[in-house]
Amino acid sequence: DIQMTQSPSSMSASLGDTVTINCLASQDIGNYLSWYQQKPGKSPKLMIYGATNLEDGVPSRFSGSRSGSDYSLTINSLGYDDEGIYHCHQYYEYPLTFGSGTKLEIK
Amino acid sequence: EVQLQQSGAELVRPGTSVKLSCKVSGDTITAYYMHFVKQRPGQGLEWIGRIDPEDDSTKYAEKFKNKATLTADTSSNTAYLKLSSLTSEDTATYFCTTGQTGFDYWGQGVMVAVSS
C-alpha cells in the first residue's frame, strides 16, 4: 500500500500568515494527489486535485505543489475560515490512502 | 448539481450487521464510481472501498474485505455499504463520496455507534 506521511500533525498560525502542509508519498504517485479541508462535524471538501489544480470555488489563496514525491498545500493570507483539518489523498492506485491529517488553528 | 444523501445515524449491538445507504441525485449513479470512507472519532480518513454501479465490480482495502460489502441499485440511484460482525472498532462516521477530479461530492456522513 502507498503510505502518505503528512506533516505537521497540528499547527497554529496568525491571521494573515502563510502556512504550508506537506505530504510525502512512499512511492511514485505522479500528480494523483488531492487535498481536502474538513470542518468539525462536516464532510471533507475538495480543495486541490491533480496535485496543483484548484477546485472551482476555492479561493486562490490556496495552492498545491509537487517536488518529486513531496506534495505541499500552501495557504496565503490566512483567515479564520481556514481553520480545520487538512487531509492529503493519493488516488494513483488501489487501495486509495489518506495522510493522517493536519489540524490548523488560527490564533 | 450532484448531491449524495446518506441514511440516518445507527445504534447497533455488537455482533450484528448494519446497511447504510447513499442516494445520488442530480446525475445517474452509473456515471461514477461510488466510494465509502470511514472516520473514527478524532481520527483521519480511511478508504473502505468502491463500487462501479455500471457492472457491480468492487475494490476493497484489505482490512475491510471481511467487514464491508458494497452494492448498488441503479433503479433507485443508490449505493449501499453493509458492515458485518460489528465491534466497538466499527464505531465511526461513514461517508460516501465520488467525483471526476478527485472526491468532488460527499454525503453528509452517517454515525454508527456499536454498543450493547
Side-chain angles (χ1 to χ4, degrees), chain B residues 4 22 33-37 95-99 103-107:
Chain B
L4 307 181
C22 173
Y33 287 177
M34 297 301 298
H35 298 253
F36 283 82
V37 171
F95 297 98
C96 59
T97 180
T98 189
F103 292 153
D104 305 81
Y105 312 112
W106 291 74

Side-chain angles (χ1 to χ4, degrees), chain A:
Chain A
D1 298 2
I2 298 174
Q3 307 303 316
M4 302 301 296
T5 303
Q6 188 170 344
S7 61
S9 57
S10 65
M11 63 191 308
S12 182
S14 300
L15 275 178
D17 280 356
T18 294
V19 298
T20 297
I21 299 168
N22 300 290
C23 258
L24 174 65
S26 62
Q27 63 189 76
D28 178 45
I29 61 169
N31 286 328
Y32 292 88
L33 187 284
S34 54
W35 291 96
Y36 299 85
Q37 177 195 67
Q38 188 178 26
K39 305 260 184 187
K42 299 295 187 182
S43 308
K45 174 187 175 184
L46 178 64
M47 308 298 279
I48 300 283
Y49 63 94
T52 62
N53 299 293
L54 198 65
E55 174 72 350
D56 287 346
V58 174
S60 59
R61 302 183 293 102
F62 289 82
S63 63
S65 63
R66 173 193 174 189
S67 175
S69 294
D70 277 297
Y71 299 81
S72 298
L73 172 70
T74 298
I75 313 171
N76 296 311
S77 302
L78 273 177
Y80 285 120
D81 192 47
D82 299 331
E83 198 166 78
I85 298 175
Y86 291 83
H87 308 272
C88 65
H89 166 56
Q90 70 80 16
Y91 51 103
Y92 177 75
E93 70 176 28
Y94 293 114
L96 308 186
T97 48
F98 291 88
S100 54
T102 295
K103 185 174 184 178
L104 172 61
E105 176 196 58
I106 310 300
K107 287 185 283 193

Side-chain angles (χ1 to χ4, degrees), chain B residues 8 14 28 66 115:
Chain B
T28 175
N66 295 318
S115 175

